Amino acid sequence: MPDIDLKNIQPNRLNPRLQFSKAGLDDLAASIRQYGILEPILVRPTNEHYEVVVGERRYRAAQQAGLDAVPVIVKEYTDDEVMEINLVENIQREDLSAVEKAKLCSELRSRFPEKYPSWDGLARRIGVEPPTVRTWMRTLGLPDELQEKIAPRETQRVPEGKLDYRTALEIHQRIKEPERQMEVAEQLAQQPLSREVREEVIRRAAEEPRTPTAPRQEVEQIVQDVSREVRPTMVFNHRHYRTVLDGSKTQATRRRPDPDIQQGTIVRAAVNHFADLEIMGIERKRLGEYNEADARREGGYSLAEFQDYWRRVNGEWNPDEMVYLIRFRVARVR
């Protein structure tokens, strides 16, 4: 694995990432100064230099750290292979927004129509469900201001000041006036809100009449009103519907629970809303501290069965991961 002078490496002109976090680059540069580059950068040869294929952040952070040379893996790639590699790599590991993914998908199809004749074919090629790709593409129809509000990753906790792309699409679909769209987007991006609250705010903001004698309610007030009215929701899969109702499931483990879920509150249990639950207590612990009693409260599992269930849903069982155990009882069946 050779080291190549940084001055002989060029950035990836086909990289779909539009922005790099300065704080993230600063942290990575500090790590590189202390430990060096732990994973080589994938490059391809050009006429006179090399071009980054995968590892753009490491390349930029190495420059920032003042390195003269970096370890690389050199391979030949065509433009479409580079674009495809970047899309797949970023979908799986990086933090592209839905807008950035949509732009790269659009470029793949426009540059290489024979290889990517349809959105469904492109989706299968990159390992994503076709409806997901089609939804990404809808974000390109949003106004630029609304596109910029979309968070760079689909996570349960969206960064402050950002929206998940499905909420942005809902705002654009339901609210026709651009100014009102941005008022709603700004308010919904200011604080974490449940999906139910967001949907109700958008519905009311869209339907609120505007007349000379009845001016529209401020969006901030709509958010306050809806937040007071709507109960937080705990979502369960169909397998747990019966075990919640028969009392064998009295605990649910969540990585990031709704901040409105507190001891003593009544929350909605939903596959569809099938029950109201009273929260009996919330405990934070490591997955490695789970015991058989915890597993039974999850719906009658053994510890080994619950670990298997967790892996199917969340991908891994990390004993050091901190989670929240939310204990409850059924207050009312809907």
Side-chain angles (χ1 to χ4, degrees), residues 304-333:
E305 288 170 341
F306 180 70
Q307 288 173 336
D308 287 342
Y309 166 75
W310 181 270
R311 290 188 187 98
R312 289 196 303 272
V313 173
N314 298 290
E316 65 173 347
W317 177 273
N318 178 0
D320 292 326
E321 181 176 359
M322 298 296 296
V323 294
Y324 293 83
L325 283 65
I326 304 169
R327 297 198 176 95
F328 56 82
R329 69 174 183 84
V330 175
R332 181 174 61 168
V333 177

Side-chain angles (χ1 to χ4, degrees), residues 251-274:
Q251 174 180 292
T253 300
R254 299 289 189 266
R255 282 175 162 157
R256 299 179 185 86
D258 187 321
D260 291 333
I261 296 178
Q262 301 291 333
Q263 183 169 342
T265 59
I266 299 294
V267 304
R268 296 178 59 184
V271 172
N272 292 314
H273 183 195
F274 63 89

Side-chain angles (χ1 to χ4, degrees), residues 40-60:
I41 297 170
L42 182 60
V43 301
R44 63 172 175 168
T46 60
N47 291 336
E48 299 178 359
H49 299 281
Y50 296 91
E51 183 180 49
V52 176
V53 175
V54 174
E56 185 88 7
R57 286 183 71 250
R58 275 168 281 150
Y59 163 73
R60 294 182 182 226

Side-chain angles (χ1 to χ4, degrees), residues 1 9 14 26 33 40 66 74 76 84 88 112 116 125 130 146 148 177 191 196 222 241 267 269 288 300 323 332:
M1 178 184 314
I9 302 176
L14 300 173
D26 289 346
R33 288 189 194 100
V74 182
E76 296 277 357
E84 191 171 4
V88 174
F112 314 107
Y116 304 102
R125 182 68 182 249
L146 200 49
E148 291 171 3
E177 303 92 332
Q191 56 186 309
E196 187 176 16
I222 295 176
Y241 170 81
V267 304
V323 294
R332 181 174 61 168

Side-chain angles (χ1 to χ4, degrees), residues 208-228:
E208 184 82 21
R210 179 194 287 174
T211 67
T213 57
R216 277 183 161 176
Q217 187 178 17
E218 293 290 335
V219 177
E220 181 179 6
Q221 187 61 51
I222 295 176
V223 172
Q224 293 175 4
D225 291 347
V226 174
S227 297
R228 283 195 298 266

